[in-house]
PDB file of all heavy atoms in Angstrom:
ATOM      1  N   ILE A 175     -75.398  45.081 141.602  1.00 98.00           N
ATOM      2  CA  ILE A 175     -74.235  45.426 140.770  1.00 98.00           C
ATOM      3  C   ILE A 175     -73.569  46.679 141.254  1.00 98.00           C
ATOM      4  O   ILE A 175     -72.347  46.767 141.413  1.00 98.00           O
ATOM      5  CB  ILE A 175     -74.627  45.547 139.297  1.00 98.00           C
ATOM      6  CG1 ILE A 175     -74.971  44.174 138.669  1.00 98.00           C
ATOM      7  CG2 ILE A 175     -73.540  46.200 138.451  1.00 98.00           C
ATOM      8  CD1 ILE A 175     -75.586  44.239 137.315  1.00 98.00           C
ATOM      9  N   VAL A 176     -74.412  47.746 141.466  1.00 98.00           N
ATOM     10  CA  VAL A 176     -73.908  48.991 141.957  1.00 98.00           C
ATOM     11  C   VAL A 176     -73.329  48.872 143.392  1.00 98.00           C
ATOM     12  O   VAL A 176     -72.286  49.504 143.730  1.00 98.00           O
ATOM     13  CB  VAL A 176     -74.933  50.065 141.850  1.00 98.00           C
ATOM     14  CG1 VAL A 176     -74.369  51.423 142.360  1.00 98.00           C
ATOM     15  CG2 VAL A 176     -75.455  50.263 140.433  1.00 98.00           C
ATOM     16  N   ARG A 177     -73.969  48.096 144.219  1.00 98.00           N
ATOM     17  CA  ARG A 177     -73.494  47.875 145.576  1.00 98.00           C
ATOM     18  C   ARG A 177     -72.101  47.306 145.556  1.00 98.00           C
ATOM     19  O   ARG A 177     -71.163  47.666 146.272  1.00 98.00           O
ATOM     20  CB  ARG A 177     -74.497  46.971 146.363  1.00 98.00           C
ATOM     21  CG  ARG A 177     -74.015  46.711 147.792  1.00 98.00           C
ATOM     22  CD  ARG A 177     -75.109  45.900 148.499  1.00 98.00           C
ATOM     23  NE  ARG A 177     -76.394  46.612 148.603  1.00 98.00           N
ATOM     24  CZ  ARG A 177     -77.479  46.101 149.094  1.00 98.00           C
ATOM     25  NH1 ARG A 177     -77.461  44.919 149.620  1.00 98.00           N
ATOM     26  NH2 ARG A 177     -78.595  46.815 149.184  1.00 98.00           N
ATOM     27  N   ASP A 178     -71.885  46.239 144.680  1.00 98.00           N
ATOM     28  CA  ASP A 178     -70.593  45.576 144.637  1.00 98.00           C
ATOM     29  C   ASP A 178     -69.570  46.570 144.065  1.00 98.00           C
ATOM     30  O   ASP A 178     -68.400  46.625 144.581  1.00 98.00           O
ATOM     31  CB  ASP A 178     -70.715  44.368 143.692  1.00 98.00           C
ATOM     32  CG  ASP A 178     -71.429  43.211 144.329  1.00 98.00           C
ATOM     33  OD1 ASP A 178     -71.608  43.250 145.557  1.00 98.00           O
ATOM     34  OD2 ASP A 178     -71.840  42.295 143.562  1.00 98.00           O
ATOM     35  N   PHE A 179     -69.934  47.395 143.090  1.00 98.00           N
ATOM     36  CA  PHE A 179     -69.031  48.349 142.536  1.00 98.00           C
ATOM     37  C   PHE A 179     -68.570  49.353 143.584  1.00 98.00           C
ATOM     38  O   PHE A 179     -67.428  49.733 143.707  1.00 98.00           O
ATOM     39  CB  PHE A 179     -69.716  49.092 141.341  1.00 98.00           C
ATOM     40  CG  PHE A 179     -68.856  50.238 140.712  1.00 98.00           C
ATOM     41  CD1 PHE A 179     -67.842  50.018 139.931  1.00 98.00           C
ATOM     42  CD2 PHE A 179     -69.176  51.522 141.160  1.00 98.00           C
ATOM     43  CE1 PHE A 179     -67.118  51.017 139.447  1.00 98.00           C
ATOM     44  CE2 PHE A 179     -68.472  52.622 140.641  1.00 98.00           C
ATOM     45  CZ  PHE A 179     -67.404  52.383 139.808  1.00 98.00           C
ATOM     46  N   ALA A 180     -69.578  49.846 144.446  1.00 98.00           N
ATOM     47  CA  ALA A 180     -69.238  50.848 145.409  1.00 98.00           C
ATOM     48  C   ALA A 180     -68.260  50.238 146.479  1.00 98.00           C
ATOM     49  O   ALA A 180     -67.328  50.922 146.892  1.00 98.00           O
ATOM     50  CB  ALA A 180     -70.543  51.277 146.114  1.00 98.00           C
ATOM     51  N   ARG A 181     -68.516  48.991 146.827  1.00 98.00           N
ATOM     52  CA  ARG A 181     -67.665  48.374 147.844  1.00 98.00           C
ATOM     53  C   ARG A 181     -66.285  48.014 147.335  1.00 98.00           C
ATOM     54  O   ARG A 181     -65.301  48.132 148.017  1.00 98.00           O
ATOM     55  CB  ARG A 181     -68.346  47.189 148.413  1.00 98.00           C
ATOM     56  CG  ARG A 181     -69.609  47.474 149.226  1.00 98.00           C
ATOM     57  CD  ARG A 181     -70.284  46.195 149.654  1.00 98.00           C
ATOM     58  NE  ARG A 181     -71.446  46.466 150.540  1.00 98.00           N
ATOM     59  CZ  ARG A 181     -72.321  45.597 150.973  1.00 98.00           C
ATOM     60  NH1 ARG A 181     -72.274  44.288 150.494  1.00 98.00           N
ATOM     61  NH2 ARG A 181     -73.322  45.915 151.716  1.00 98.00           N
ATOM     62  N   GLU A 182     -66.245  47.520 146.125  1.00 98.00           N
ATOM     63  CA  GLU A 182     -64.994  46.967 145.593  1.00 98.00           C
ATOM     64  C   GLU A 182     -64.149  47.980 144.789  1.00 98.00           C
ATOM     65  O   GLU A 182     -62.913  47.851 144.784  1.00 98.00           O
ATOM     66  CB  GLU A 182     -65.309  45.819 144.680  1.00 98.00           C
ATOM     67  CG  GLU A 182     -66.004  44.648 145.363  1.00 98.00           C
ATOM     68  CD  GLU A 182     -66.525  43.538 144.385  1.00 98.00           C
ATOM     69  OE1 GLU A 182     -66.182  43.692 143.192  1.00 98.00           O
ATOM     70  OE2 GLU A 182     -67.265  42.687 144.827  1.00 98.00           O
ATOM     71  N   VAL A 183     -64.754  49.013 144.200  1.00 98.00           N
ATOM     72  CA  VAL A 183     -64.054  49.950 143.388  1.00 98.00           C
ATOM     73  C   VAL A 183     -63.935  51.367 144.067  1.00 98.00           C
ATOM     74  O   VAL A 183     -62.881  51.943 144.207  1.00 98.00           O
ATOM     75  CB  VAL A 183     -64.689  50.107 141.998  1.00 98.00           C
ATOM     76  CG1 VAL A 183     -63.942  51.187 141.170  1.00 98.00           C
ATOM     77  CG2 VAL A 183     -64.712  48.767 141.250  1.00 98.00           C
ATOM     78  N   VAL A 184     -65.102  51.835 144.598  1.00 98.00           N
ATOM     79  CA  VAL A 184     -65.125  53.137 145.183  1.00 98.00           C
ATOM     80  C   VAL A 184     -64.418  53.182 146.553  1.00 98.00           C
ATOM     81  O   VAL A 184     -63.534  54.001 146.873  1.00 98.00           O
ATOM     82  CB  VAL A 184     -66.531  53.679 145.329  1.00 98.00           C
ATOM     83  CG1 VAL A 184     -66.527  55.088 145.907  1.00 98.00           C
ATOM     84  CG2 VAL A 184     -67.218  53.764 143.935  1.00 98.00           C
ATOM     85  N   ALA A 185     -64.857  52.254 147.433  1.00 97.00           N
ATOM     86  CA  ALA A 185     -64.409  52.245 148.787  1.00 97.00           C
ATOM     87  C   ALA A 185     -62.844  52.268 148.980  1.00 97.00           C
ATOM     88  O   ALA A 185     -62.298  53.005 149.807  1.00 97.00           O
ATOM     89  CB  ALA A 185     -65.013  51.095 149.592  1.00 97.00           C
ATOM     90  N   PRO A 186     -62.144  51.466 148.205  1.00 97.00           N
ATOM     91  CA  PRO A 186     -60.650  51.413 148.398  1.00 97.00           C
ATOM     92  C   PRO A 186     -59.918  52.738 148.082  1.00 97.00           C
ATOM     93  O   PRO A 186     -58.782  52.952 148.527  1.00 97.00           O
ATOM     94  CB  PRO A 186     -60.213  50.288 147.458  1.00 97.00           C
ATOM     95  CG  PRO A 186     -61.403  49.456 147.273  1.00 97.00           C
ATOM     96  CD  PRO A 186     -62.542  50.438 147.276  1.00 97.00           C
ATOM     97  N   VAL A 187     -60.495  53.572 147.254  1.00 97.00           N
ATOM     98  CA  VAL A 187     -59.749  54.740 146.772  1.00 97.00           C
ATOM     99  C   VAL A 187     -60.321  56.102 147.174  1.00 97.00           C
ATOM    100  O   VAL A 187     -59.678  57.118 147.106  1.00 97.00           O
ATOM    101  CB  VAL A 187     -59.691  54.807 145.186  1.00 97.00           C
ATOM    102  CG1 VAL A 187     -58.999  53.480 144.674  1.00 97.00           C
ATOM    103  CG2 VAL A 187     -61.075  54.922 144.585  1.00 97.00           C
ATOM    104  N   ILE A 188     -61.578  56.079 147.667  1.00 97.00           N
ATOM    105  CA  ILE A 188     -62.227  57.388 147.852  1.00 97.00           C
ATOM    106  C   ILE A 188     -61.658  58.200 149.013  1.00 97.00           C
ATOM    107  O   ILE A 188     -61.655  59.444 148.982  1.00 97.00           O
ATOM    108  CB  ILE A 188     -63.764  57.207 147.994  1.00 97.00           C
ATOM    109  CG1 ILE A 188     -64.481  58.539 147.728  1.00 97.00           C
ATOM    110  CG2 ILE A 188     -64.150  56.614 149.352  1.00 97.00           C
ATOM    111  CD1 ILE A 188     -64.266  59.124 146.304  1.00 97.00           C
ATOM    112  N   ALA A 189     -61.239  57.536 150.060  1.00 95.00           N
ATOM    113  CA  ALA A 189     -60.714  58.313 151.192  1.00 95.00           C
ATOM    114  C   ALA A 189     -59.539  59.138 150.826  1.00 95.00           C
ATOM    115  O   ALA A 189     -59.456  60.278 151.269  1.00 95.00           O
ATOM    116  CB  ALA A 189     -60.290  57.296 152.362  1.00 95.00           C
ATOM    117  N   GLU A 190     -58.612  58.670 150.002  1.00 96.00           N
ATOM    118  CA  GLU A 190     -57.496  59.440 149.519  1.00 96.00           C
ATOM    119  C   GLU A 190     -57.961  60.625 148.644  1.00 96.00           C
ATOM    120  O   GLU A 190     -57.458  61.731 148.827  1.00 96.00           O
ATOM    121  CB  GLU A 190     -56.529  58.585 148.745  1.00 96.00           C
ATOM    122  CG  GLU A 190     -55.265  59.335 148.322  1.00 96.00           C
ATOM    123  CD  GLU A 190     -54.275  58.459 147.610  1.00 96.00           C
ATOM    124  OE1 GLU A 190     -54.463  57.242 147.494  1.00 96.00           O
ATOM    125  OE2 GLU A 190     -53.222  59.004 147.125  1.00 96.00           O
ATOM    126  N   HIS A 191     -58.881  60.375 147.784  1.00 97.00           N
ATOM    127  CA  HIS A 191     -59.471  61.503 146.973  1.00 97.00           C
ATOM    128  C   HIS A 191     -60.076  62.529 147.875  1.00 97.00           C
ATOM    129  O   HIS A 191     -59.949  63.798 147.657  1.00 97.00           O
ATOM    130  CB  HIS A 191     -60.497  61.021 145.972  1.00 97.00           C
ATOM    131  CG  HIS A 191     -59.903  60.353 144.775  1.00 97.00           C
ATOM    132  ND1 HIS A 191     -59.152  61.065 143.822  1.00 97.00           N
ATOM    133  CD2 HIS A 191     -59.954  59.080 144.323  1.00 97.00           C
ATOM    134  CE1 HIS A 191     -58.793  60.256 142.855  1.00 97.00           C
ATOM    135  NE2 HIS A 191     -59.198  59.051 143.137  1.00 97.00           N
ATOM    136  N   TYR A 192     -60.788  62.122 148.934  1.00 95.00           N
ATOM    137  CA  TYR A 192     -61.486  63.000 149.837  1.00 95.00           C
ATOM    138  C   TYR A 192     -60.512  63.854 150.583  1.00 95.00           C
ATOM    139  O   TYR A 192     -60.695  65.088 150.720  1.00 95.00           O
ATOM    140  CB  TYR A 192     -62.293  62.165 150.815  1.00 95.00           C
ATOM    141  CG  TYR A 192     -63.345  62.917 151.564  1.00 95.00           C
ATOM    142  CD1 TYR A 192     -64.664  63.026 151.087  1.00 95.00           C
ATOM    143  CD2 TYR A 192     -63.015  63.524 152.838  1.00 95.00           C
ATOM    144  CE1 TYR A 192     -65.603  63.701 151.816  1.00 95.00           C
ATOM    145  CE2 TYR A 192     -63.975  64.237 153.486  1.00 95.00           C
ATOM    146  CZ  TYR A 192     -65.333  64.329 153.010  1.00 95.00           C
ATOM    147  OH  TYR A 192     -66.271  65.035 153.696  1.00 95.00           O
ATOM    148  N   GLU A 193     -59.457  63.251 151.008  1.00 95.00           N
ATOM    149  CA  GLU A 193     -58.414  63.986 151.801  1.00 95.00           C
ATOM    150  C   GLU A 193     -57.664  64.943 150.895  1.00 95.00           C
ATOM    151  O   GLU A 193     -57.286  66.067 151.335  1.00 95.00           O
ATOM    152  CB  GLU A 193     -57.514  63.003 152.510  1.00 95.00           C
ATOM    153  CG  GLU A 193     -58.089  62.332 153.724  1.00 95.00           C
ATOM    154  CD  GLU A 193     -58.571  63.326 154.776  1.00 95.00           C
ATOM    155  OE1 GLU A 193     -57.739  64.075 155.307  1.00 95.00           O
ATOM    156  OE2 GLU A 193     -59.750  63.303 155.062  1.00 95.00           O
ATOM    157  N   ARG A 194     -57.359  64.537 149.674  1.00 95.00           N
ATOM    158  CA  ARG A 194     -56.608  65.381 148.763  1.00 95.00           C
ATOM    159  C   ARG A 194     -57.465  66.372 148.002  1.00 95.00           C
ATOM    160  O   ARG A 194     -56.936  67.238 147.224  1.00 95.00           O
ATOM    161  CB  ARG A 194     -55.789  64.488 147.797  1.00 95.00           C
ATOM    162  CG  ARG A 194     -54.746  63.685 148.520  1.00 95.00           C
ATOM    163  CD  ARG A 194     -54.133  62.593 147.538  1.00 95.00           C
ATOM    164  NE  ARG A 194     -53.666  63.224 146.349  1.00 95.00           N
ATOM    165  CZ  ARG A 194     -53.386  62.552 145.204  1.00 95.00           C
ATOM    166  NH1 ARG A 194     -53.592  61.214 145.193  1.00 95.00           N
ATOM    167  NH2 ARG A 194     -52.932  63.164 144.184  1.00 95.00           N
ATOM    168  N   HIS A 195     -58.784  66.254 148.077  1.00 96.00           N
ATOM    169  CA  HIS A 195     -59.733  67.121 147.384  1.00 96.00           C
ATOM    170  C   HIS A 195     -59.514  66.991 145.838  1.00 96.00           C
ATOM    171  O   HIS A 195     -59.456  67.898 145.100  1.00 96.00           O
ATOM    172  CB  HIS A 195     -59.612  68.553 147.746  1.00 96.00           C
ATOM    173  CG  HIS A 195     -59.973  68.793 149.180  1.00 96.00           C
ATOM    174  ND1 HIS A 195     -60.523  70.093 149.542  1.00 96.00           N
ATOM    175  CD2 HIS A 195     -59.918  68.087 150.297  1.00 96.00           C
ATOM    176  CE1 HIS A 195     -60.796  70.006 150.860  1.00 96.00           C
ATOM    177  NE2 HIS A 195     -60.438  68.862 151.299  1.00 96.00           N
ATOM    178  N   THR A 196     -59.379  65.689 145.436  1.00 97.00           N
ATOM    179  CA  THR A 196     -59.191  65.380 143.996  1.00 97.00           C
ATOM    180  C   THR A 196     -60.361  64.638 143.395  1.00 97.00           C
ATOM    181  O   THR A 196     -61.066  63.893 144.137  1.00 97.00           O
ATOM    182  CB  THR A 196     -57.893  64.561 143.780  1.00 97.00           C
ATOM    183  OG1 THR A 196     -57.952  63.400 144.614  1.00 97.00           O
ATOM    184  CG2 THR A 196     -56.653  65.346 144.131  1.00 97.00           C
ATOM    185  N   PHE A 197     -60.586  64.839 142.103  1.00 98.00           N
ATOM    186  CA  PHE A 197     -61.731  64.279 141.470  1.00 98.00           C
ATOM    187  C   PHE A 197     -61.447  62.860 141.008  1.00 98.00           C
ATOM    188  O   PHE A 197     -60.344  62.655 140.383  1.00 98.00           O
ATOM    189  CB  PHE A 197     -62.119  65.158 140.277  1.00 98.00           C
ATOM    190  CG  PHE A 197     -63.434  64.741 139.609  1.00 98.00           C
ATOM    191  CD1 PHE A 197     -64.600  65.102 140.280  1.00 98.00           C
ATOM    192  CD2 PHE A 197     -63.450  64.177 138.417  1.00 98.00           C
ATOM    193  CE1 PHE A 197     -65.839  64.808 139.642  1.00 98.00           C
ATOM    194  CE2 PHE A 197     -64.665  63.831 137.785  1.00 98.00           C
ATOM    195  CZ  PHE A 197     -65.835  64.200 138.401  1.00 98.00           C
ATOM    196  N   PRO A 198     -62.289  61.866 141.332  1.00 98.00           N
ATOM    197  CA  PRO A 198     -61.928  60.490 141.019  1.00 98.00           C
ATOM    198  C   PRO A 198     -62.249  60.084 139.600  1.00 98.00           C
ATOM    199  O   PRO A 198     -63.173  59.344 139.300  1.00 98.00           O
ATOM    200  CB  PRO A 198     -62.809  59.704 141.994  1.00 98.00           C
ATOM    201  CG  PRO A 198     -64.067  60.559 142.147  1.00 98.00           C
ATOM    202  CD  PRO A 198     -63.526  62.023 142.066  1.00 98.00           C
ATOM    203  N   TYR A 199     -61.461  60.579 138.651  1.00 98.00           N
ATOM    204  CA  TYR A 199     -61.677  60.315 137.219  1.00 98.00           C
ATOM    205  C   TYR A 199     -61.737  58.843 136.930  1.00 98.00           C
ATOM    206  O   TYR A 199     -62.525  58.425 136.120  1.00 98.00           O
ATOM    207  CB  TYR A 199     -60.567  60.975 136.414  1.00 98.00           C
ATOM    208  CG  TYR A 199     -60.691  62.464 136.291  1.00 98.00           C
ATOM    209  CD1 TYR A 199     -59.853  63.281 137.074  1.00 98.00           C
ATOM    210  CD2 TYR A 199     -61.595  63.165 135.472  1.00 98.00           C
ATOM    211  CE1 TYR A 199     -59.960  64.692 137.016  1.00 98.00           C
ATOM    212  CE2 TYR A 199     -61.694  64.472 135.405  1.00 98.00           C
ATOM    213  CZ  TYR A 199     -60.872  65.246 136.150  1.00 98.00           C
ATOM    214  OH  TYR A 199     -60.936  66.601 136.156  1.00 98.00           O
ATOM    215  N   GLU A 200     -60.880  57.992 137.572  1.00 97.00           N
ATOM    216  CA  GLU A 200     -60.823  56.602 137.280  1.00 97.00           C
ATOM    217  C   GLU A 200     -62.140  55.945 137.636  1.00 97.00           C
ATOM    218  O   GLU A 200     -62.626  55.006 136.951  1.00 97.00           O
ATOM    219  CB  GLU A 200     -59.634  55.913 137.933  1.00 97.00           C
ATOM    220  CG  GLU A 200     -59.720  55.695 139.453  1.00 97.00           C
ATOM    221  CD  GLU A 200     -59.494  56.950 140.303  1.00 97.00           C
ATOM    222  OE1 GLU A 200     -59.414  58.072 139.748  1.00 97.00           O
ATOM    223  OE2 GLU A 200     -59.360  56.779 141.533  1.00 97.00           O
ATOM    224  N   VAL A 201     -62.745  56.388 138.738  1.00 98.00           N
ATOM    225  CA  VAL A 201     -64.071  55.856 139.145  1.00 98.00           C
ATOM    226  C   VAL A 201     -65.170  56.246 138.175  1.00 98.00           C
ATOM    227  O   VAL A 201     -66.005  55.434 137.817  1.00 98.00           O
ATOM    228  CB  VAL A 201     -64.405  56.293 140.592  1.00 98.00           C
ATOM    229  CG1 VAL A 201     -65.833  55.873 140.966  1.00 98.00           C
ATOM    230  CG2 VAL A 201     -63.370  55.718 141.580  1.00 98.00           C
ATOM    231  N   ILE A 202     -65.093  57.514 137.771  1.00 98.00           N
ATOM    232  CA  ILE A 202     -66.128  58.042 136.860  1.00 98.00           C
ATOM    233  C   ILE A 202     -66.093  57.345 135.546  1.00 98.00           C
ATOM    234  O   ILE A 202     -67.081  56.984 134.938  1.00 98.00           O
ATOM    235  CB  ILE A 202     -65.998  59.532 136.663  1.00 98.00           C
ATOM    236  CG1 ILE A 202     -66.055  60.247 138.004  1.00 98.00           C
ATOM    237  CG2 ILE A 202     -67.031  60.100 135.708  1.00 98.00           C
ATOM    238  CD1 ILE A 202     -67.293  59.993 138.842  1.00 98.00           C
ATOM    239  N   ARG A 203     -64.891  57.047 135.040  1.00 97.00           N
ATOM    240  CA  ARG A 203     -64.715  56.325 133.774  1.00 97.00           C
ATOM    241  C   ARG A 203     -65.410  54.920 133.846  1.00 97.00           C
ATOM    242  O   ARG A 203     -66.141  54.516 132.932  1.00 97.00           O
ATOM    243  CB  ARG A 203     -63.251  56.223 133.398  1.00 97.00           C
ATOM    244  CG  ARG A 203     -62.677  57.415 132.755  1.00 97.00           C
ATOM    245  CD  ARG A 203     -61.320  57.144 132.090  1.00 97.00           C
ATOM    246  NE  ARG A 203     -60.311  56.776 133.110  1.00 97.00           N
ATOM    247  CZ  ARG A 203     -59.543  57.718 133.728  1.00 97.00           C
ATOM    248  NH1 ARG A 203     -59.620  58.975 133.410  1.00 97.00           N
ATOM    249  NH2 ARG A 203     -58.642  57.269 134.640  1.00 97.00           N
ATOM    250  N   GLN A 204     -65.152  54.250 134.985  1.00 98.00           N
ATOM    251  CA  GLN A 204     -65.802  52.972 135.070  1.00 98.00           C
ATOM    252  C   GLN A 204     -67.296  53.018 135.245  1.00 98.00           C
ATOM    253  O   GLN A 204     -67.993  52.141 134.712  1.00 98.00           O
ATOM    254  CB  GLN A 204     -65.109  52.246 136.359  1.00 98.00           C
ATOM    255  CG  GLN A 204     -63.705  51.863 136.177  1.00 98.00           C
ATOM    256  CD  GLN A 204     -63.172  51.113 137.334  1.00 98.00           C
ATOM    257  OE1 GLN A 204     -63.620  49.976 137.657  1.00 98.00           O
ATOM    258  NE2 GLN A 204     -62.233  51.727 138.102  1.00 98.00           N
ATOM    259  N   MET A 205     -67.757  54.005 135.913  1.00 98.00           N
ATOM    260  CA  MET A 205     -69.214  54.241 135.964  1.00 98.00           C
ATOM    261  C   MET A 205     -69.807  54.487 134.616  1.00 98.00           C
ATOM    262  O   MET A 205     -70.920  54.022 134.245  1.00 98.00           O
ATOM    263  CB  MET A 205     -69.558  55.398 136.917  1.00 98.00           C
ATOM    264  CG  MET A 205     -69.286  55.073 138.376  1.00 98.00           C
ATOM    265  SD  MET A 205     -69.201  56.584 139.439  1.00 98.00           S
ATOM    266  CE  MET A 205     -70.875  57.297 139.158  1.00 98.00           C
ATOM    267  N   GLY A 206     -69.099  55.165 133.765  1.00 97.00           N
ATOM    268  CA  GLY A 206     -69.519  55.443 132.434  1.00 97.00           C
ATOM    269  C   GLY A 206     -69.589  54.131 131.647  1.00 97.00           C
ATOM    270  O   GLY A 206     -70.589  53.851 130.925  1.00 97.00           O
ATOM    271  N   LYS A 207     -68.599  53.210 131.754  1.00 97.00           N
ATOM    272  CA  LYS A 207     -68.628  51.978 131.074  1.00 97.00           C
ATOM    273  C   LYS A 207     -69.727  51.099 131.557  1.00 97.00           C
ATOM    274  O   LYS A 207     -70.214  50.280 130.762  1.00 97.00           O
ATOM    275  CB  LYS A 207     -67.269  51.264 131.244  1.00 97.00           C
ATOM    276  CG  LYS A 207     -66.050  52.001 130.570  1.00 97.00           C
ATOM    277  CD  LYS A 207     -64.765  51.332 130.829  1.00 97.00           C
ATOM    278  CE  LYS A 207     -63.631  51.966 130.203  1.00 97.00           C
ATOM    279  NZ  LYS A 207     -62.306  51.372 130.448  1.00 97.00           N
ATOM    280  N   MET A 208     -70.145  51.247 132.794  1.00 97.00           N
ATOM    281  CA  MET A 208     -71.277  50.456 133.347  1.00 97.00           C
ATOM    282  C   MET A 208     -72.615  50.948 132.839  1.00 97.00           C
ATOM    283  O   MET A 208     -73.667  50.255 133.002  1.00 97.00           O
ATOM    284  CB  MET A 208     -71.173  50.492 134.877  1.00 97.00           C
ATOM    285  CG  MET A 208     -70.059  49.844 135.507  1.00 97.00           C
ATOM    286  SD  MET A 208     -69.984  50.178 137.286  1.00 97.00           S
ATOM    287  CE  MET A 208     -71.567  49.433 137.865  1.00 97.00           C
ATOM    288  N   GLY A 209     -72.570  52.144 132.246  1.00 97.00           N
ATOM    289  CA  GLY A 209     -73.896  52.695 131.770  1.00 97.00           C
ATOM    290  C   GLY A 209     -74.682  53.500 132.785  1.00 97.00           C
ATOM    291  O   GLY A 209     -75.851  53.816 132.514  1.00 97.00           O
ATOM    292  N   LEU A 210     -74.097  53.835 133.872  1.00 98.00           N
ATOM    293  CA  LEU A 210     -74.794  54.493 135.012  1.00 98.00           C
ATOM    294  C   LEU A 210     -75.300  55.900 134.548  1.00 98.00           C
ATOM    295  O   LEU A 210     -76.336  56.358 135.016  1.00 98.00           O
ATOM    296  CB  LEU A 210     -73.966  54.577 136.229  1.00 98.00           C
ATOM    297  CG  LEU A 210     -73.531  53.243 136.905  1.00 98.00           C
ATOM    298  CD1 LEU A 210     -72.847  53.489 138.271  1.00 98.00           C
ATOM    299  CD2 LEU A 210     -74.741  52.341 137.054  1.00 98.00           C
TER     300      LEU A 210
END
């Protein structure tokens, strides 16, 4: 489940956050809903 989430949700957006030095709030919210 976490592997799929990382590939399908994190991977498409993280490079832009990394370059802009921004915190990925939308990813964190989804992780919260997953119970991580």
